[in-house]
Amino acid sequence: RMPTHIERMAALKVVVGTILGRNRELADSEEILWEAYGKIKMNSIGVSHITSGAALGSGVYLAPAAVDHCCRPTAQVTNIGRVLYVQVINDIPDFDLSKLRIAYCDPLLTTSERRGKMLQDYLFHCECSACLDQEREQKMHSVRCPAC
């Protein structure tokens, strides 16, 4: 079972309280803790083991956190140890950093699954080009004839 936002917030409160120690006023501030939790939740990226690929946790990296989402990404985020790389995966005419897009979830999920994940995890209803592409969705639910 995945912990709820309330359970995660309670765990964050314990960690912050331990770190801040004597500054109880700051550690007990629900508003500040919810703001910090929201920023971590919205901007964290999974970190995996350098060789096995096993999930190790999450990290907040400022540059990739500024890259917007698209279910039809132009870049992907990978890590080697603690170093994160943003790699362009599609040709971007007239390249500009503002044109980079990464998938916040698995782009091979169905539109309803991706939108559900975006709403649950990032609190927005995805309206990217892939989610609006009904032909793409139909192809995802079809099987190609082996004779064709």
Side-chain angles (χ1 to χ4, degrees):
R1 161 176 107 68
M2 292 294 293
T4 66
H5 292 299
I6 300 295
E7 291 168 332
R8 289 178 179 150
M9 177 62 181
L12 177 64
K13 191 171 185 176
V14 170
V15 171
V16 170
T18 302
I19 293 168
L20 295 177
R22 289 183 279 165
N23 192 341
R24 296 305 312 166
E25 182 180 319
L26 184 59
D28 289 337
S29 171
E30 292 285 325
E31 182 179 339
I32 291 171
L33 289 175
W34 274 112
E35 183 179 343
Y37 172 76
K39 288 179 179 179
I40 292 167
K41 176 80 176 124
M42 297 301 152
N43 295 299
S44 63
I45 294 175
V47 177
S48 55
H49 189 271
I50 192 167
T51 55
S52 73
L56 296 175
S58 297
V60 177
Y61 297 83
L62 296 179
V67 179
D68 287 330
H69 163 77
C70 183
C71 296
R72 190 177 281 144
T74 57
Q76 66 183 10
V77 176
T78 56
N79 71 289
I80 298 177
R82 294 182 194 159
V83 179
L84 212 67
Y85 296 91
V86 178
Q87 300 168 306
V88 175
I89 57 174
N90 293 327
D91 188 32
I92 302 174
D94 301 320
F95 179 79
D96 183 279
L97 287 176
S98 67
K99 294 180 181 179
L100 282 181
R101 298 288 181 271
I102 59 175
Y104 293 179
C105 67
D106 183 349
L108 298 178
L109 296 173
T110 65
T111 299
S112 61
E113 291 170 327
R114 290 191 317 271
R115 282 182 163 171
K117 187 144 183 65
M118 292 298 96
L119 195 56
Q120 177 186 343
D121 294 349
Y122 299 97
L123 308 177
F124 73 89
H125 181 78
C126 188
E127 294 287 331
C128 74
S129 61
C131 285
L132 297 175
D133 187 346
Q134 292 179 351
E135 185 178 328
R136 178 182 190 262
E137 185 70 8
Q138 289 172 346
K139 287 179 181 177
M140 289 181 73
H141 290 285
S142 63
V143 177
R144 184 180 171 129
C145 172
C148 297

